[in-house]
Amino acid sequence: MYVLDSSAFIHDFHTTEQTATIPLVREELKDESAYRYDAMEGSGMHIHIPNDDTTEKVQRAARESGDLDVLSETDVRLIAASFELDGVLVTDDYAMQNVAEKLNVDVEVIAREGIDEQRHWTFQCQGCGREFDEEKDRCPICGSELARKNPS
């Protein structure tokens, strides 16, 4: 089963396999892509609402990888739906791909290349330059804001 992100509807993704998505995806779509969603729902696409436990599991994984701050509620719930349905997540979003890989959820990309490797982001203080493994609101040393830093 393919679990479809907004990009699947925007780029007119086609498959003969069963498909699923979540209601929040419909809210992100406009014009033709919204009509594609409606047509697929009318022809049997499964609309899934992931449970809160799975959503929390995805949030923990995203926090650990450093991707939580760039994922929307829709993104988190799509990954959770893919996890629960043992489906293939169809998305072009790199942060979603990173978290999905951390949770052993298969991903298929549409318009872009997929990620080459899983990343664990670090956070660097904009004031004193210290680096932290976990995201915090402010640097515990000097109080400045932290920014996500590419680990490579």
Side-chain angles (χ1 to χ4, degrees):
M1 174 177 288
Y2 286 104
V3 180
L4 308 179
D5 185 12
S6 303
S7 57
F9 299 99
I10 292 166
H11 295 289
D12 200 13
F13 176 79
H14 288 283
T15 182
T16 57
E17 301 291 321
Q18 289 184 322
T19 56
T21 194
I22 61 172
L24 290 172
V25 167
R26 176 62 173 87
E27 296 172 18
E28 295 181 350
L29 301 173
K30 296 180 180 169
D31 304 325
E32 290 179 25
S33 55
Y35 295 125
R36 283 187 202 104
Y37 180 105
D38 294 341
M40 288 181 73
E41 182 180 12
S43 62
M45 178 175 64
H46 177 69
I47 305 301
H48 186 76
I49 299 174
N51 70 51
D52 291 338
D53 291 341
T54 308
T55 301
E56 288 173 18
K57 180 177 186 160
V58 171
Q59 289 170 334
R60 279 193 304 275
R63 191 174 296 110
E64 289 171 8
S65 71
D67 291 300
L68 185 60
D69 62 328
V70 296
L71 292 177
S72 68
E73 179 183 354
T74 303
D75 298 339
V76 169
R77 291 187 177 278
L78 271 167
I79 298 167
S82 299
F83 185 85
E84 287 181 358
L85 298 170
D86 195 26
V88 176
L89 178 61
V90 178
T91 185
D92 281 337
D93 185 291
Y94 290 136
M96 289 177 70
Q97 291 174 42
N98 198 42
V99 176
E101 187 170 308
K102 185 170 182 59
L103 294 167
N104 296 315
V105 171
D106 291 332
V107 176
E108 186 168 317
V109 295
I110 306 163
R112 299 197 243 181
E113 292 182 24
I115 63 172
D116 294 329
E117 63 187 35
Q118 183 180 358
R119 293 194 175 168
H120 178 80
W121 296 95
T122 57
F123 300 88
Q124 186 170 28
C125 176
Q126 298 299 289
C128 67
R130 286 189 171 85
E131 291 186 18
F132 302 93
D133 287 334
E134 293 184 5
E135 183 177 15
K136 303 172 187 321
D137 290 333
R138 299 222 167 258
C139 175
I141 308 301
C142 73
S144 297
E145 290 186 16
L146 301 182
R148 188 166 85 155
K149 181 181 175 193
N150 190 335
S152 54

